[in-house]
Every structure is written in C-alpha cells, then in structure tokens.
Amino acid sequence: MSKSVRISENLHERIKAHKREDETMEDTLRRLIGGPSPEDVSGILSDETAEGMRDAIEATSENANEKRDHLTL
C-alpha cells in the first residue's frame, strides 16, 4: 500500500539533495526522519506498554504546548 503526499518544490529539492544514489525517495525520508520503521517494531511492545508510551508522549506534547502558549501571551 502506498500514499501520495504533496510537498513544496523547495522541500522536494531539499530531500533530493540528501538522497543517496542507491536510495529511493522513501528510503531517504525514512533515514532523515530517523528511528525504525513501524513495520520493523510492530508487535514488540505489549498493548499495556504501548498505551503507557502513548500517554507519556501525549503528556509531553501537552506540556510543550502549554509552555509555548505561555511564552506567546
């Protein structure tokens, strides 16, 4: 399964500048984004652990948003 994503010409050129000769654009994006692919880690965590991690990420994001909002007031 694949999806199309619209990006600006400027961003496309920036990504293309980082593309290695033996890579597809998808490979380049995965490398630039970092971390393992979701397919590689699927099923490693228990549902309980995954839920805890989601909660922690959400709490961190909410805290960052509150700090940003405070700074812009």
Side-chain angles (χ1 to χ4, degrees):
M1 177 180 189
S2 67
K3 299 260 184 182
S4 295
V5 178
R6 295 182 76 153
I7 59 173
S8 68
E9 187 70 29
N10 184 324
L11 179 57
H12 183 271
E13 290 302 315
R14 289 178 61 196
I15 295 167
K16 189 176 173 183
H18 289 278
K19 185 179 173 298
R20 296 175 180 159
E21 192 172 309
D22 62 336
E23 287 182 324
T24 64
M25 287 297 276
E26 179 178 346
D27 294 336
T28 303
L29 286 169
R30 285 181 186 267
R31 179 173 50 80
L32 293 174
I33 290 170
S37 72
E39 296 88 16
D40 293 341
V41 296
S42 176
I44 291 177
L45 302 176
S46 69
D47 290 344
E48 184 178 294
T49 301
E51 184 63 32
M53 292 176 75
R54 274 193 285 277
D55 291 345
I57 291 167
E58 186 176 305
T60 300
S61 295
E62 288 173 5
N63 189 29
N65 288 340
E66 288 174 9
K67 286 181 181 180
R68 182 197 66 229
D69 291 345
H70 178 72
L71 290 172
T72 58
L73 293 177

